[in-house]
Amino acid sequence: AKQQDTIVLLDGQGADEILGGYTYYYRTYFQELYATSSSLFKEEYAAYKAWGGNHFEHDFKFTLQAKFPGMYNKYLRLRAGPVNNPDFHSDFNNEYRMNTPLPLPFTPSLNNHMHNTLCINGMFETLLRYADRNSMAFSREVRLPFLNHQFVEFVYSLPSIYKIHHGWSKYILRKAYEHLVPSDISWRKDKIGYAPPEQQWLQNAKVKEMIKAGIAKLADEKIINIKNLAPSKNWTYLMASKLLHNA
């Protein structure tokens, strides 16, 4: 963008979070319909299956949440009992158990789920910080039209069926733009993330030394169990040790 002398850029951050764009929203959507309208649930679920959806076929969690909410709450309370995760040191497991509050009762609401993703779980704040740092590094200005507060408030005021409909996520957005962009874009089904080349980075000799030192630090602090290390988690170990060091 800088090479092309493009000063202002538009960023699509927020569209998935407020318009039901992630696959894990489907579960909450159908749970909400099941709790509020049996006929609409059957219609939408049939259309979703015809669309090709299978995100939670034979899903134990979905069945408990949708059809047996009382049992699901009991299941959550049982899960909040003694923690014995072999990946972590026993001292860390005990401290986690003592400081983790009991989960709140389950209430199926697509809006609540999206609000949690957008404002509470912290990941979205991290993504915005990444974009802000990247743009400032090259003196570019990034604007976020999907996070305009009036637009967000409007979308939250709409029924869930405007956001997910007949298997389509972000339905109202697709409809709004279907005559402005090619159909293979506006009605695209697959979803591709933007993953960095972590595995390539992890082969670097210097990074390997950093991982080794990070694992030793986490073990010394009695956070992880050194006997149950998983190479697939090396990046997590490295990031956790850096957070611990900064703290």
Side-chain angles (χ1 to χ4, degrees):
K2 186 171 185 177
Q3 290 172 359
Q4 297 296 321
D5 200 31
T6 302
I7 298 172
V8 180
L9 300 138
L10 296 179
D11 191 318
Q13 289 279 14
D16 286 319
E17 285 77 6
I18 68 171
L19 288 160
Y22 292 125
T23 55
Y24 50 71
Y25 285 140
Y26 282 97
R27 176 188 281 112
T28 308
Y29 172 65
F30 286 117
Q31 289 162 348
E32 180 183 293
L33 290 183
Y34 189 92
T36 57
S37 174
S38 177
S39 59
L40 190 55
F41 167 80
K42 292 177 181 178
E43 176 187 333
E44 277 292 295
Y45 194 72
Y48 164 79
K49 296 295 290 183
W51 176 85
N54 61 350
H55 294 111
F56 39 82
E57 192 71 22
H58 309 301
D59 189 315
F60 172 69
K61 184 178 178 182
F62 171 70
T63 303
L64 278 180
Q65 288 178 322
K67 300 185 179 181
F68 308 103
M71 187 181 294
Y72 180 69
N73 292 335
K74 183 177 180 180
Y75 166 70
L76 283 181
R77 287 194 294 273
L78 289 172
R79 293 232 8 224
V83 178
N84 187 26
N85 189 328
D87 290 345
F88 294 107
H89 192 280
S90 58
D91 288 359
F92 184 83
N93 280 328
N94 291 333
E95 186 174 345
Y96 179 83
R97 182 177 70 248
M98 294 298 294
N99 291 281
T100 302
L102 288 175
L104 297 173
F106 173 73
T107 51
S109 167
L110 181 60
N111 267 0
N112 287 348
H113 191 172
M114 294 191 301
H115 178 265
N116 183 74
T117 307
L118 189 68
C119 302
I120 298 175
N121 72 7
M123 187 59 202
F124 191 69
E125 180 180 326
T126 302
L127 294 174
L128 292 180
R129 179 167 55 84
Y130 289 162
D132 199 34
R133 290 176 64 178
N134 289 340
S135 61
M136 288 192 295
F138 294 92
S139 302
R140 303 300 94 183
E141 181 182 342
V142 172
R143 296 179 182 175
L144 304 151
F146 288 109
L147 293 181
N148 173 279
H149 76 92
Q150 293 172 317
F151 178 70
V152 174
E153 290 167 3
F154 167 70
V155 172
Y156 270 99
S157 73
L158 297 173
S160 296
I161 200 167
Y162 282 83
K163 300 151 197 172
I164 298 177
H165 183 63
H166 283 190
W168 295 101
S169 63
K170 295 187 286 190
Y171 182 74
I172 191 171
L173 181 65
R174 295 176 189 270
K175 289 294 292 183
Y177 284 90
E178 66 178 347
H179 300 302
L180 299 175
V181 296
S183 61
D184 59 344
I185 295 176
S186 59
W187 295 103
R188 181 175 178 170
K189 285 187 176 183
D190 61 324
K191 190 171 185 62
I192 302 173
Y194 300 97
E198 289 178 7
Q199 293 307 313
Q200 182 179 336
W201 296 343
L202 294 176
Q203 301 310 310
N204 181 280
K206 185 177 180 180
V207 174
K208 287 183 177 180
E209 285 299 315
M210 293 168 62
I211 292 171
K212 184 178 179 181
I215 288 174
K217 183 175 180 62
L218 294 173
D220 288 343
E221 294 288 341
K222 296 183 178 180
I223 292 176
I224 60 173
N225 187 343
I226 201 74
K227 296 179 180 179
N228 291 291
L229 297 178
S232 61
K233 296 181 181 178
N234 279 345
W235 183 259
T236 301
Y237 297 144
L238 177 59
M239 293 299 101
S241 66
K242 283 187 167 292
L243 284 172
L244 186 64
H245 177 74
N246 291 334

